[in-house]
Amino acid sequence: MPTPTSATAPDHGALLRPLLPTHSGRPYADVLADLSRRVAIRNYLEIGVSTGSLLSRITCAHAIGVDPAFDLRANVTMNKSHVSLYQMKSDDFFKTFDRTALRPGHVDMAMIDGLHLAEFALKDFYNTERLCAPGSTIVIHDCLPLNPLMAMRETTLIPELSARTPFANWWTGDVWKLIPILKHYRPDLDVVLADAAPTGLVFVRKLDPASTVLEKNYGRIIDEHIAIPNEIEQLQRLCADLTILPVEQVVDDLAVSFRPQGETPSFWRRWRR
């Protein structure tokens, strides 16, 4: 193929340009470690454990970690009575997991940080929700990319183009698409977006473990959303539609809502059709 001319060369500068201000809240691992110390988490589920750097900092009675290829470099048993590790793909975990291992029979808090592609994150969400109770919390990582480069589905260009930027090798993939998906298909959920560094956190509550909406519509959802390009216009539209709250405010109010008599904080955003 001919070498691109200046008129046809891709605009790498546009790929690198930040669309959101750098998230100014504490690093996400600090936030979740702090939250786990402040509330009584009995069962914690983490999809995408990798090195165990986050899992090792979570305080709970029973931690369940899922990863197809663990590369543990931290003591994941810290601050826990019981740890269960499943070295398998998350789809296989959800097909085979015996929920009677959960006492009581649900997950209190879950972190979804697996493969950063929308079709996998969506499955992880609705499968995780089945293991939860209405008062549980699902946390989703990497839904607030700073630019189109880190949101690409294909990672080939990322190392070279991001090497001299403040976010070298950052990859969120297109997990951001879960936000409009939940907005459209699950307006019953309470969803809050927080400015935890480096790429935000999304907290989801008012869960319905009996809901089958996302699974039944999975094929249509994927057809509708995977084709959406991870380009400046789409991410700008996402940013314009979002209210991103200070993570300290979210954690403070969330800690209150974990109490038996606590109420869901009034500022938690409820999406409606």
Side-chain angles (χ1 to χ4, degrees):
M1 294 183 64
T3 303
T5 65
S6 59
T8 61
D11 182 4
H12 290 158
L15 290 175
L16 296 168
R17 186 180 307 127
L19 297 174
L20 287 172
T22 301
H23 301 302
S24 58
R26 283 188 293 163
Y28 77 97
D30 292 352
V31 169
L32 295 180
D34 180 38
L35 178 60
S36 74
R37 286 191 296 267
R38 295 172 59 182
V39 302
I41 296 176
R42 294 157 297 186
N43 297 304
Y44 169 78
L45 171 65
E46 186 170 313
I47 306 296
V49 173
S50 186
T51 64
S53 59
L54 172 59
L55 186 58
S56 67
R57 300 182 60 188
I58 297 295
T59 299
C60 63
H62 182 193
I64 303 165
V66 181
D67 199 289
F70 287 104
D71 183 22
L72 297 179
R73 304 176 191 180
N75 182 0
V76 297
T77 67
M78 291 283 289
N79 305 311
K80 303 166 185 69
S81 302
H82 185 196
V83 175
S84 305
L85 299 179
Y86 294 81
Q87 187 161 270
M88 58 180 64
K89 294 179 180 178
S90 59
D91 279 357
D92 295 331
F93 165 78
F94 288 115
K95 287 176 184 175
T96 60
F97 179 68
D98 181 2
R99 69 180 300 156
T100 61
L102 301 172
R103 301 189 185 280
H106 64 265
V107 167
D108 295 306
M109 187 167 82
M111 172 63 158
I112 296 177
D113 194 18
L115 187 57
H116 294 172
L117 297 175
E119 63 268 36
F120 293 98
L122 178 59
K123 276 189 178 181
D124 285 344
F125 180 85
Y126 67 66
N127 283 321
T128 296
E129 187 180 21
R130 287 201 191 101
L131 296 179
C132 293
S136 304
T137 300
I138 295 178
V139 187
I140 310 170
H141 191 214
D142 290 324
C143 282
L144 300 173
L146 303 184
N147 62 37
L149 179 64
M150 65 179 66
M152 282 183 167
R153 290 176 58 83
E154 171 58 55
T155 62
T156 306
L157 292 174
I158 292 177
E160 178 184 358
L161 295 183
S162 68
R164 297 183 180 180
T165 73
F167 31 83
N169 292 315
W170 289 13
W171 183 51
T172 65
D174 63 347
V175 180
W176 67 268
K177 292 174 182 175
L178 262 65
I179 298 174
I181 288 171
L182 296 180
K183 176 181 180 180
H184 180 73
Y185 285 92
R186 293 294 305 280
D188 55 306
L189 296 171
D190 279 347
V191 182
V192 165
L193 299 97
D195 67 347
T199 51
L201 285 175
V202 176
F203 295 85
V204 186
R205 299 209 73 197
K206 283 209 169 177
L207 301 169
D208 179 4
S211 176
T212 59
V213 172
L214 297 175
E215 183 176 18
K216 284 183 176 178
N217 290 281
Y218 180 80
R220 183 170 72 178
I221 293 171
I222 296 308
D223 288 344
E224 290 172 349
H225 289 84
I226 297 307
I228 298 174
N230 296 295
E231 295 177 351
I232 288 176
E233 291 76 16
Q234 283 71 32
L235 295 181
Q236 285 176 330
R237 190 174 301 118
L238 173 74
C239 298
D241 290 342
L242 298 181
T243 299
I244 302 174
L245 297 171
V247 72
E248 302 303 330
Q249 179 186 6
V250 174
V251 169
D252 285 347
D253 285 68
L254 185 57
V256 171
S257 71
F258 263 91
R259 298 173 186 167
Q261 302 304 317
E263 299 293 334
T264 301
S266 60
F267 72 82
W268 281 61
R269 180 181 181 185
R270 177 184 292 270
W271 275 319
R272 299 188 184 279
R273 293 185 189 277

